[in-house]
Amino acid sequence: MRWWSVAHLVSNTGTWMQLTVQNLLVLQITGSAAATGLSMSVQAAPGLLMGLAGGTFVDRWPRKLTAAVSQALLGVVALVTAFLVVTHRLDLPALMALAAVTGLVATVDGPACSLLGNDLVRAEDVPSAIGVGSLVHSAGRLAGAALAGVTVGLLGTASAYAANALSFLFVAAVIPFLRPLRHTEPATPDRASKPDMSAREGLLFFVRRPRLVALAGITGISAVFGRNYALTLAVLVTGPLAGGAGSFGTVSTVLAAGGIVGAVLAARLRKPSVRLVGLLAAAGGLLQVVAGLAPSLAVLLVLVLPMAVVESVSDTAGTTVLQTDPPPRLRGRVLGVWSTVSTLWGLAGPPVLGLLMQHAGARGALVAGGLLIAATVGAGHLLRGRWTSAPVPAAKDPAAVLVTAA
């Protein structure tokens, strides 16, 4: 697990180096902000259309092999992009094709790497492993953003893609030496006893599992109205609070620091529940309401830290439920379903929030969004209480059932 964490720290650092300069590269090539948004949509589209298929692939094939191949393919795509940048051959069609391939490979790589990491620890330590993964992600984000500016300034834009390619290949090289504690290879019984490995089975399990549907609802409304801080807080800081880019940079740094603190706290979770995710989402929504009313940048900075901590703990708790609730043979497909729905709300969130800010302003959007999150979680809790408050009495025999019915 230590080797896996180190490898993913390297990989996340490389990924954030690339993401930091990716939009700049698109603008340099096309000179169009619309093309930048289009490239992001093209890369996200496979997650929406092929997420379940990718999860099905993960359930059917050996996990270590799948993760190693997907990491190597992502490394090759990044390396090809770096080569095209250096040789000045990267145009818009090539850029869109590479973005689509990256998104397609990611539909397999995401669930494969997540589940492989969980298999490296005992079952009771999986929540801690997910917390460590969240910490690695946050640390890699900070390191990658910092290194991107230095590297690009000295070596050019292609260096970020080359560094990311090497980081993927490093992870692929580490995977063969990992020793999972649980059997993760797909079962190969005879045809008569072969289990259903179809995508349909994973989808049906998800929609028939109330706690997973509730988790999707809580996470979805939080993602749309509560966590697009790069948009809402940027407008709040530069607008009503009369700050500049430097002020928003300070806010972003505090958000990142809060994410790290939250990941450390989340690593202590043992048996998180959907109820805990809902309570944390509601708390985050109320903190967002207060942040929307902040009279100054100093007050906002005080509120941003607990907002980020609550968000990080909530995310880790939700991820733990998602990755441990389904039976092992279905986990890839359940993560595939999640990839589809999370991509959907990821694409829908910014336009909806932008429309809300256009009519209500940054403060109004933060306040309305936070109240909507808290109210939705509260309503869901009340409905759940009504559904479970009147259990059906058990009858001792069929005759008693008839008498009770009458």
Side-chain angles (χ1 to χ4, degrees):
M1 185 60 188
R2 285 191 291 270
W3 273 103
W4 182 243
S5 298
V6 170
H8 266 272
L9 177 59
V10 173
S11 179
N12 272 291
T13 300
T15 297
W16 281 102
M17 286 180 66
Q18 175 177 314
L19 290 175
T20 302
V21 302
Q22 182 168 308
N23 291 343
L24 177 62
L25 177 62
V26 177
L27 286 173
Q28 288 176 344
I29 294 172
T30 65
S32 169
T36 303
L38 180 60
S39 68
M40 296 173 66
S41 297
V42 168
Q43 186 164 325
L48 179 63
L49 302 175
M50 301 295 293
L52 182 53
T56 304
F57 189 93
V58 171
D59 280 340
R60 289 180 176 178
W61 290 87
R63 198 163 290 159
K64 285 176 62 176
L65 176 62
T66 303
V69 171
S70 64
Q71 286 283 302
L73 287 175
L74 289 173
V76 169
V77 172
L79 199 60
V80 169
T81 307
F83 174 77
L84 292 176
V85 172
V86 169
T87 58
H88 304 287
R89 296 180 179 177
L90 186 65
D91 54 13
L92 185 59
L95 187 66
M96 294 301 175
L98 290 169
V101 172
T102 299
L104 184 62
V105 177
T107 62
V108 174
D109 181 73
C113 289
S114 297
L115 297 176
L116 178 58
N118 294 346
D119 291 334
L120 300 176
V121 300
R122 297 173 300 177
E124 60 268 26
D125 291 330
V126 168
S128 294
I130 293 174
V132 170
S134 179
L135 178 61
V136 165
H137 177 81
S138 298
R141 180 175 185 173
L142 285 176
L147 289 174
V150 176
T151 305
V152 172
L154 294 175
L155 302 175
T157 305
S159 62
Y161 283 89
N164 193 30
L166 292 177
S167 72
F168 281 126
L169 298 178
F170 177 72
V171 178
V174 167
I175 288 176
F177 298 97
L178 300 178
R179 295 179 179 270
L181 298 183
R182 290 183 297 282
H183 185 67
T184 59
E185 308 301 313
T188 54
D190 57 61
R191 293 176 178 244
S193 59
K194 187 175 182 179
D196 183 4
M197 299 296 290
S198 66
R200 178 176 177 272
E201 185 193 19
L203 180 60
L204 289 177
F205 178 87
F206 190 98
V207 299
R208 292 174 178 175
R209 189 73 168 167
R211 66 197 314 250
L212 293 182
V213 175
L215 179 64
I218 294 169
T219 307
I221 195 168
S222 298
V224 173
F225 293 101
R227 297 185 179 181
N228 281 293
Y229 297 138
L231 179 58
T232 53
L233 293 184
V235 177
L236 177 64
V237 170
T238 58
L241 297 182
S247 299
F248 180 65
T250 303
V251 171
S252 299
T253 301
V254 175
L255 281 171
I260 292 178
V261 173
V264 173
L265 295 176
R268 302 180 64 86
L269 294 173
R270 285 300 174 186
K271 293 183 179 180
S273 62
V274 177
R275 182 179 182 182
L276 174 62
V277 176
L279 290 174
L280 290 170
L286 295 177
L287 284 170
Q288 177 179 312
V289 171
V290 180
L293 301 174
S296 66
L297 181 63
V299 174
L300 179 65
L301 289 174
V302 171
L303 294 168
V304 161
L305 183 63
M307 286 167 62
V309 172
V310 168
E311 177 185 343
S312 180
V313 177
S314 177
D315 283 346
T316 302
T319 301
T320 302
V321 172
L322 181 69
Q323 295 183 8
T324 58
D325 180 72
R329 69 182 186 86
L330 281 168
R331 286 175 183 169
R333 281 166 284 178
V334 169
L335 289 182
V337 176
W338 190 264
S339 174
T340 298
V341 295
S342 62
T343 302
L344 181 61
W345 67 58
L347 293 174
V352 171
L353 202 56
L355 186 62
L356 181 59
M357 284 197 297
Q358 182 177 344
H359 289 86
R363 292 189 185 277
L366 284 165
V367 172
L371 291 176
L372 181 60
I373 294 168
T376 301
V377 173
H381 180 71
L382 291 176
L383 289 174
R384 179 181 179 276
R386 290 185 179 182
W387 288 337
T388 59
S389 61
V392 179
K396 295 183 179 181
D397 54 60
V401 174
L402 295 176
V403 171
T404 302

